[in-house]
């Protein structure tokens, strides 16, 4: 059974000043289109295979990829659930969290979002048994993120706006591809990789805040 763990990622943590979007960025798909209480925490559920999820008093259905939007909540112990199980997240003000809920258990990940107004955040979640997955950008000829362990995640800030193809690689082997992934300023895209053996799937889901 998976244990509850917090992963400290390498990007600069989201500052509470980002709770207010610049008006000029509102049409570019930013996370912060309306003023949000700067004391809020942000919590979402990632539950591949589940079409429903809830965060505190907010419920979501018909989730195609099992990823809910973030929900702005008062800091504290936040109830979360999917069709698999119920759990909770201990959330602090100004921080972003993903409750990864699977049939095996729950892992809490502290996400990082760039505060650079010209960039977007790309996060890769490796929910397979494969170690050291890479996310390759053919157009650039290099990895966006690399060496993401099984059950872990990594993030990177990319200059936006941008639209690129992405390839998930296990060593030199291409195991999944996502075409035309769009990145917008002060927004994010979450790549979730799931599956077993050679049957691997990758999906790209915009990182948004429920309104």
């Amino acid at each position: 059974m998976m244990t509850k763990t917090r992963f400290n990622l390498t990007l600069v943590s989201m500052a509470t000043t980002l709770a207010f979007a610049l008006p000029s960025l509102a049409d570019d798909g930013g996370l912060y289109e309306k003023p949000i209480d700067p004391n809020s925490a942000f919590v979402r559920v990632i539950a591949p295979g589940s079409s429903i999820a809830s965060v505190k008093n907010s419920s979501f259905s018909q989730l195609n990829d099992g990823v809910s939007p973030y929900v702005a909540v008062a800091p504290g112990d936040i109830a979360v659930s999917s069709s698999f199980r119920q759990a909770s997240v201990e959330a602090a003000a100004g921080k972003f969290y993903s409750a990864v809920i699977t049939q095996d258990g729950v892992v809490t990940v502290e996400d990082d979002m760039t505060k650079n107004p010209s960039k977007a955040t790309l996060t890769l979640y490796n929910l397979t048994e494969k170690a050291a997955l890479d996310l390759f950008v053919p157009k650039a000829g290099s990895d966006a993120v690399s060496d993401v362990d099984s059950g872990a995640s990594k993030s990177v800030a990319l200059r936006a706006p941008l639209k690129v193809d992405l390839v998930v690689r296990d060593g030199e082997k291409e195991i999944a591809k996502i075409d035309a992934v769009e990145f917008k300023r002060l927004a994010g895209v979450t790549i979730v990789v799931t599956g077993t053996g050679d049957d691997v799937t990758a999906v790209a889901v915009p990182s948004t805040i429920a309104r």
Side-chain angles (χ1 to χ4, degrees), residues 67-149:
V67 181
S68 80
Y70 288 102
V71 177
V73 295
D77 193 39
I78 309 303
V80 296
S81 70
S82 75
S83 60
F84 302 128
R85 66 184 67 239
Q86 297 179 340
S88 63
V89 173
E90 186 63 33
K95 294 185 180 296
F96 284 71
Y97 301 89
S98 293
V100 182
I101 305 177
T102 68
Q103 293 178 337
D104 296 323
V106 181
V107 174
T108 298
V109 180
E110 183 179 325
D111 297 324
D112 284 292
M113 297 290 175
T114 181
K115 64 179 181 178
N116 188 322
S118 67
K119 293 189 176 182
T121 300
L122 167 64
T123 303
L124 174 66
Y125 284 82
N126 177 7
L127 304 186
T128 75
E129 296 179 351
K130 298 180 181 294
L133 289 186
D134 303 323
L135 192 60
F136 182 72
V137 184
K139 185 176 181 179
S142 61
D143 292 333
V145 294
S146 57
D147 297 329
V148 182
D149 292 335

Side-chain angles (χ1 to χ4, degrees), residues 43-45 52-60 63 68 71 79-82 86 101:
V43 179
R44 71 176 174 181
V45 169
I52 62 173
S54 68
V55 177
K56 200 170 183 179
N57 297 323
S58 298
S59 298
F60 305 93
L63 297 175
S68 80
V71 177
V80 296
S81 70
S82 75
Q86 297 179 340
I101 305 177

Side-chain angles (χ1 to χ4, degrees), residues 122 162-166 178-183 189 191 204-205:
L122 167 64
L162 177 69
K163 182 181 288 187
V164 293
D165 297 337
L166 297 173
I178 310 173
D179 295 327
V181 179
E182 187 173 4
F183 297 89
V189 173
I191 307 295
V205 183

